[in-house]
Amino acid sequence: MDRKLAAILAADVVGYSALMEQDEQGTFERLKAGRKELFEPEISSHHGYIFKLMGDGLLAEFSSVVDAVECAMALQKGLVERNAAVPEGQRFQMRIGINLGEVIVEGDDRYGEGVNIAARLEQIAEPGGVYVSGKVAKEVEKKLAFAFEAIGEQRVKNIAEPVPVYRVNLNGQPRRHLLKARRLRNKWLMPEGLAVVVAVTAAAVLGTQHWWKPSGAAFDEASIAVLPFDNLGDDPKWERIADGISEDIITELSQADHVLVIARHSTDAYRATSADVRQVGADLGVRFVLEGSLQAIGDRVRIRAQLVDAVTGADLWSERYDRPDEDIFEVQSDVTAKIANTLGSQVGVIRKSQFKLAQHKPPNSLTAYDTYLMADAVALTPVGGVTKDGLIEGERLFRKAIELDPQMARAYVGLAYVYSLMYGYGFADSPQQALLKQLEAARKAVELDPNNNEAHGALGQALNWNGEWAQALVEFDRAEALAPNDADTLALIATNIAASQSARAVRLSERAILLNPHYPNWYNYGLYWGYFFQEQFDKSLNYAKLVTGPSINEKSFLAMLYGYLNQPEEAKKAAAMVLKDDPDWTAEKFLTKWFVGGEHETELVAEGARKAGLRACATRAELKENPNMIHVKSCDKERQKAGSG
């Protein structure tokens, strides 16, 4: 029995049976012509071989996984072109799946898990789509200009382990466009020892112009070089750990959409040197330099990190971590993730520093990224709290950033959050319109950058708030898969899933706080919601109290929590604040606006409202006014008794 490694492409026609039922002869002839004129020539030109035809489908083998993916995209593009000349009811759409794996060779046929996974990927792909396994994406993402959008791990029929799945997007930006920019820079920086020599020479010739920028390009993102961490001892073991920390920080920071990170081989030139950080910044064309050290002291290890402004030489941030060395690799993972989140998060050191720089620029010189930072600061992370005026100004600035750079996905993410806050705080003139704008902006963000975890998080929230809960979960899973150590992303997911997946919400929130100890206030939402629906009311109350300037949402929870904890005076005070903000508040109204959960969770809110002295049963008029209002089962008898339902 012969075996070999091969890329397998599986394809079939969407809705073929329905097409055959409408026009059997015509459909068969069109399929036959499509195979002869498109599929066979394209597969052959990409060095592939069709080893099985199955009615409306086929299986093909390629020795090169790059050829297989390029062929799949050529086939989908070719179908679109052919369909343009065909009446809509007669058009073919194909699903394609590609896997890289070992296959069993038996004559002209191929068998085994390598083939089976390709077939399963084809079955779950959307019409016109190409889904590939994680092995394929890993092999080709640096070799092709297509974007690879993480779908997450999927369980497929007859395959024991979940399969990491990626969608190929011909029109999207390549995976992590910032990483692509970094790879471009690496290409120009040349191999190892020549990098710094060429950089210094070019800088001398070109002055302050960043010599590595392509003509017309403008890298607004914060740029940073992570220097090799120094081992302050003699044990070579710690040298390897210090190198691992530097490399892990580079990897983690690369997940931050607004941070451009110099590759390690370029910063290695500064190993064991005492180069001035300002010179490093000039050599590598970066604004920030991170340096650090590791020192073993007895059975403990001390790790120090320091962020420096490479232009002024000023220290922007520093931290020291003292940990037992029992499991040094766990310490390495924990410390590097914390450093990356402290620097690169939504309210991190780098973004704050960039905002200060933007503030001091003349208005007519602001770039798209500067404008984005100003919008973020005034609308999403204001010092004095969210306001209606701030959100209106933020919307204007985000749209201005989009005018300056129509491809700026992060600006659409910002817009989505502006509309969500307009809705959440009751500032929107038309709540429904705000939700639709939120969804539109989030979808545009994902379209522009399908591998941006923040975009998928924003789309998940928008889908959730627009009532598309199942699809929202898919987006949240994608966001987490793309950035499993991004504290902001984890906290956002937790906030949105707390009612239906409370245990996961608490886990994600606690990890977010672990990764970002100086976390923004809104991280508490996922915790107090999650603990509430786990009926751990004392823990929920502790985190609810941490929310500053609570909106009616938090006030409602406070009232319910005090009710459950048998603190009637506090419950009464909190309920009074709720009714002051909204005299018509009812549990149904609250649930309809905010809630996704089951019958148990719905009743939990209703009972909490009653314990706080708030209404839990909507009137006939209220139900008539809003027919989509969430049903509270325990209100049925009361409504019946009162003649209200």
Side-chain angles (χ1 to χ4, degrees), residues 277-546:
V277 292
R278 287 170 291 191
Q279 186 62 51
V280 174
D283 292 347
L284 298 179
V286 295
R287 178 76 202 198
F288 305 99
V289 172
L290 181 73
E291 55 184 359
S293 64
L294 179 151
Q295 183 176 15
I297 306 171
D299 61 352
R300 299 186 69 81
V301 60
R302 176 174 295 170
I303 300 168
R304 182 188 64 84
Q306 182 177 15
L307 185 72
V308 182
D309 187 317
V311 174
T312 66
D315 293 341
L316 300 175
W317 167 87
S318 64
E319 191 68 77
R320 190 179 73 184
Y321 304 87
D322 285 308
R323 301 293 173 83
D325 67 357
E326 295 173 356
D327 189 346
I328 186 57
F329 294 107
E330 184 177 334
V331 171
Q332 176 182 329
S333 176
D334 177 42
V335 170
T336 55
K338 283 185 177 178
I339 292 173
N341 276 281
T342 299
L343 300 183
S345 72
Q346 182 183 19
V347 291
V349 177
I350 290 177
R351 182 170 284 188
K352 286 180 179 178
S353 179
Q354 288 294 96
F355 173 63
K356 289 179 181 177
L357 292 173
Q359 280 183 308
H360 291 91
K361 287 186 178 182
N364 60 357
S365 71
L366 292 176
T367 65
Y369 184 63
D370 294 329
T371 308
Y372 160 80
L373 288 173
M374 305 287 274
D376 181 272
V378 73
L380 306 182
T381 56
V383 175
V386 174
T387 65
K388 184 176 182 179
D389 289 343
L391 291 172
I392 292 171
E393 177 64 4
E395 179 186 15
R396 185 189 72 80
L397 288 170
F398 279 128
R399 292 213 173 273
K400 179 64 176 176
I402 291 167
E403 285 179 23
L404 294 169
D405 181 2
Q407 302 302 308
M408 184 177 270
R410 75 192 71 177
Y412 281 102
V413 171
L415 270 182
Y417 288 138
V418 163
Y419 296 130
S420 72
L421 291 170
M422 282 283 198
Y423 173 81
Y425 279 84
F427 296 150
D429 294 331
S430 169
Q432 193 57 40
Q433 195 64 26
L435 289 180
L436 292 175
K437 286 182 177 180
Q438 177 195 12
L439 186 57
E440 180 184 10
R443 280 182 167 150
K444 184 65 176 178
V446 170
E447 176 188 329
L448 289 172
D449 192 355
N451 286 288
N452 185 321
N453 58 286
E454 291 182 355
H456 283 288
L459 181 54
Q461 178 166 288
L463 289 164
N464 180 16
W465 289 18
N466 278 272
E468 299 181 41
W469 173 239
Q471 190 57 38
L473 274 180
V474 173
E475 295 300 325
F476 290 141
D477 288 345
R478 290 177 190 171
E480 185 179 358
L482 284 166
N485 287 323
D486 183 84
D488 291 340
T489 295
L490 301 184
L492 172 75
I493 296 170
T495 300
N496 280 271
I497 66 171
S500 60
Q501 297 183 349
S502 56
R504 181 187 177 193
V506 169
R507 175 176 57 81
L508 291 179
S509 294
E510 289 178 341
R511 175 150 180 77
I513 289 174
L514 178 68
L515 292 169
N516 189 8
H518 305 293
Y519 63 92
N521 192 262
W522 62 270
Y523 278 29
N524 293 307
Y525 295 170
L527 283 166
Y528 83 75
W529 277 64
Y531 279 126
F532 178 88
F533 290 109
Q534 286 189 337
E535 300 185 47
Q536 298 187 51
F537 303 121
D538 52 345
K539 289 185 178 180
S540 178
L541 181 61
N542 289 337
Y543 287 103
K545 285 179 176 179
L546 294 177

Side-chain angles (χ1 to χ4, degrees), residues 262 363 449 556 585 597 644:
I262 292 289
D449 192 355
S556 302
W585 191 98
S644 59

Side-chain angles (χ1 to χ4, degrees), residues 98-100 113 117-118 120-121 124 131-138 148-156 159-167 481:
I98 303 174
N99 181 46
L100 176 64
E113 192 171 274
I117 290 177
R120 299 295 181 248
L121 292 174
I124 65 175
Y131 277 21
V132 303
S133 65
K135 291 180 181 178
V136 172
K138 184 178 181 180
F148 290 85
E149 179 184 354
I151 304 299
E153 291 192 339
Q154 304 290 321
R155 290 200 171 275
V156 296
I159 304 297
E161 296 296 323
V163 178
V165 180
Y166 291 78
R167 176 192 289 121

Side-chain angles (χ1 to χ4, degrees), residues 586 588-589 592 618 622-623 626-631:
T586 67
E588 289 93 339
K589 185 176 178 181
T592 301
E622 288 167 334
L623 290 168
N626 187 352
N628 295 320
M629 187 170 281
I630 285 184
H631 179 72

